[in-house]
Amino acid sequence: MTLLLQNGQIMTRGNRLIKGDIWIEAGKIKAIGQDLARSQKFVKIIDLKEQLVTAGLVDLHVHFREPGFTYKETIKTGSLAAARGGFTTVCAMPNLAPVPDTAQKFQDLKKLIIRDSVVKIHQYAPITSNLNSDDLVDMSILSKLGTPGFTNDGVGVQTAGTMYLAMKEAKKNKRPIVAHTEDESLLFGGCMHQGVTSEYLGLPGIISATESSQIARDLILAEETGVHYHVCHVSTKESVRLIREAKLAGVKVTCEVCPHHLILTDRDITKDHGQFKMNPPLRSEEDRQALINGLLDGTIDCIATDHAPHGSDEKNQSMTQAPFGIVGSETAFSLIYTEFVKTNTFTLEQVIDWLTIKPAMILNLPAGRLEIGQPADLAIFNLTETYQIVADDFLSKASNTPFLNKEVLGQTVMTLVDGQIVWSKEEMLE
């Protein structure tokens, strides 16, 4: 089928938007230009009414909870939520039940993904068996089965020796170590950032060194082994400083930051409620500014959501009892556009890069490019009309986010994967 997306706004270098059409045929972008309908007949034409069209967004960090926790999310609902947020390629974490730590379990999970997902999911494999052991998985066979990297997200790797051996094996198999950095010996039962707010609320705090000390350890090991080391959800100024210095020293390190850590601080936590509980926690204003500066100077490579759905009963309790994590797939672009592009902190071109080509390049994924010959994975956004983030609108099973009821710009209008519409707010046809 030939499809024409007509009258879109396309970002070009120099943060310049130009009006253009996109010709889609056999699931790929066949041409990009103006007035393409004059010289070609199309089976279907969609008038984008001068709304922004980008390459489909790429998210290196989501939790879809299936198998094992389908009351929180499934591959179907998680992928629909991603599509509603404009994401067409996501990387799913392996903290599931069972953990996909063998060839059989990994293949079984991939069958579920093929059956149920509406977007492209790349499934991470764990670093160690069952995530909490010191026994390395068979990285050779799991690499051949297509994992983009190895991660013990949610728990991390607690011993330096295990991490060192894992890095050597990952390097041999040309895969990155994707690190959740959290030294459990420094947690002390904390449930939020240790600071003035934790003291005011009387809640146990998590010190910044819980994250940054393990990054320091791993950067030395990454330099020793030569592995590609990717740090998940960086949240502290010390972590940014360490990664900046490591990059200058030639260590092959990349990292991501989440929208909530860019926008909120612990001062925004007004009460002891699980909706504010995430891991890493919301940090200080100094940390938030360091994250923004880290993105701007290239220390931080991309934005990822850490989409982490939970049941409402689980989150509707004290932070000492609630699980860590908030959802993010359906709000990431809108929040970043509203908070940073509209305030001239970031350019729209930078934001698109951090959500498309930059994450794709980190894991060498075939995604994130709006170019002729590339898969027609596309997202269309309304940059002019305000909308309210409402729980009932979510396609995820969960709505655990502190951003509920916030008014934002940049709502996703339509998402296409391989030229097929996988989500549409309201299809516009001629």
Side-chain angles (χ1 to χ4, degrees):
M1 185 184 83
T2 57
L3 168 65
L4 183 68
L5 301 181
Q6 195 177 52
N7 298 322
Q9 292 286 333
I10 301 170
M11 179 57 67
T12 62
R13 288 302 162 200
N15 196 43
R16 192 167 66 93
L17 286 170
I18 61 169
K19 186 177 175 182
D21 302 342
I22 300 175
W23 174 352
I24 297 170
E25 187 170 316
K28 294 184 180 297
I29 299 172
K30 186 175 178 65
I32 302 171
Q34 295 183 333
D35 299 324
L36 295 179
R38 285 187 179 180
S39 56
Q40 173 70 26
K41 287 191 175 181
F42 294 90
V43 173
K44 186 174 183 179
I45 296 176
I46 299 176
D47 185 355
L48 300 185
K49 300 176 181 176
E50 300 191 2
Q51 297 182 105
L52 175 70
V53 56
T54 73
L57 307 187
V58 179
D59 191 350
L60 298 187
H61 197 141
V62 299
H63 297 268
F64 283 171
R65 309 300 195 196
E66 185 178 10
F69 310 97
T70 53
Y71 69 96
K72 298 173 188 267
E73 193 76 288
T74 65
I75 291 167
K76 181 73 172 181
T77 58
S79 65
L80 282 168
R84 180 169 177 255
F87 290 94
T88 57
T89 297
V90 300
C91 296
M93 290 298 173
N95 50 342
L96 305 165
V99 176
D101 54 8
T102 67
Q104 186 61 57
K105 286 186 273 190
F106 192 85
Q107 287 176 311
D108 289 345
L109 179 51
K110 286 188 72 173
K111 287 177 184 173
L112 289 176
I113 290 170
I114 292 169
R115 187 189 72 185
D116 290 344
S117 182
V118 303
V119 301
K120 295 173 180 175
I121 298 177
H122 297 267
Q123 178 62 49
Y124 288 116
I127 294 170
T128 61
S129 296
N130 205 34
L131 291 174
N132 54 12
S133 75
D134 287 323
D135 302 324
L136 298 186
V137 298
D138 187 336
M139 291 192 183
S140 175
I141 193 164
L142 290 166
S143 296
K144 289 173 184 171
L145 291 174
T147 187
F150 294 92
T151 178
N152 276 10
D153 190 61
V155 292
V157 174
Q158 296 304 314
T159 63
T162 300
M163 180 57 95
Y164 171 69
L165 294 174
M167 286 183 173
K168 285 182 66 176
E169 194 64 18
K171 163 76 171 173
K172 190 193 308 180
N173 287 283
K174 299 179 180 177
R175 292 291 187 277
I177 290 292
V178 179
H180 170 108
T181 53
E182 180 180 38
D183 187 327
E184 291 178 354
S185 70
L186 294 172
L187 271 176
F188 306 116
C191 62
M192 64 174 294
H193 178 64
Q194 180 167 300
V196 173
T197 306
S198 67
E199 292 177 9
Y200 172 74
L201 294 174
L203 294 171
I206 302 172
I207 60 175
S208 297
T210 305
E211 171 184 302
S212 55
S213 64
Q214 207 166 76
I215 291 176
R217 177 201 75 180
D218 289 353
L219 288 170
I220 295 296
L221 297 177
E223 184 174 28
E224 177 75 22
T225 60
V227 75
H228 173 193
Y229 175 65
H230 178 78
V231 189
C232 296
H233 40 52
V234 170
S235 72
T236 77
K237 61 183 184 300
E238 293 85 0
S239 300
V240 176
R241 185 183 73 221
L242 287 164
I243 293 166
R244 182 181 291 120
E245 291 172 353
K247 284 190 170 187
L248 288 172
V251 179
K252 191 175 182 183
V253 55
T254 55
C255 64
E256 67 195 34
V257 65
C258 299
H260 44 277
H261 291 127
L262 290 168
I263 296 169
L264 300 176
T265 71
D266 61 338
R267 296 292 186 123
D268 294 300
I269 301 174
T270 55
K271 57 184 178 181
D272 176 13
H273 192 280
Q275 207 77 305
F276 294 104
K277 187 177 181 181
M278 54 206 77
N279 192 12
L282 298 175
R283 301 288 189 182
S284 70
E285 177 62 19
E286 263 191 296
D287 292 306
R288 191 181 80 91
Q289 289 299 328
L291 297 175
I292 292 170
N293 292 333
L295 264 174
L296 289 170
D297 72 13
T299 301
I300 297 174
D301 301 88
C302 71
I303 297 171
T305 69
D306 193 8
H307 175 78
H310 290 289
S312 57
D313 290 345
E314 292 176 311
K315 294 297 277 186
N316 191 27
Q317 55 183 337
S318 167
M319 292 176 74
T320 59
Q321 302 299 316
F324 286 104
I326 65 170
V327 294
S329 294
E330 295 176 72
T331 56
F333 180 85
S334 296
L335 288 168
I336 295 294
Y337 179 76
T338 304
E339 293 289 330
F340 296 107
V341 178
K342 293 301 290 182
T343 58
N344 297 315
T345 307
F346 303 150
T347 68
L348 180 58
E349 181 184 12
Q350 286 173 319
V351 169
I352 292 172
D353 281 354
W354 291 328
L355 285 166
T356 57
I357 188 63
K358 293 289 182 66
M361 289 174 65
I362 288 171
L363 295 187
N364 197 28
L365 302 174
R369 298 176 187 274
L370 202 170
E371 296 174 357
I372 295 170
Q374 293 296 314
D377 297 346
L378 302 166
I380 295 124
F381 300 98
N382 181 338
L383 301 183
T384 58
E385 294 182 12
T386 301
Y387 79 102
Q388 190 175 45
I389 297 173
V390 177
D392 287 346
D393 292 341
F394 278 45
L395 298 183
S396 169
K397 280 193 173 185
S399 58
N400 50 294
T401 170
F403 295 112
L404 286 179
N405 302 317
K406 185 177 177 63
E407 293 198 339
V408 291
L409 295 159
Q411 186 173 28
T412 314
V413 175
M414 185 180 293
T415 305
L416 298 93
V417 173
D418 291 329
Q420 302 296 314
I421 298 170
V422 294
W423 187 81
S424 174
K425 182 171 180 289
E426 50 181 353
E427 190 172 331
M428 297 160 291
L429 294 173
E430 273 192 353

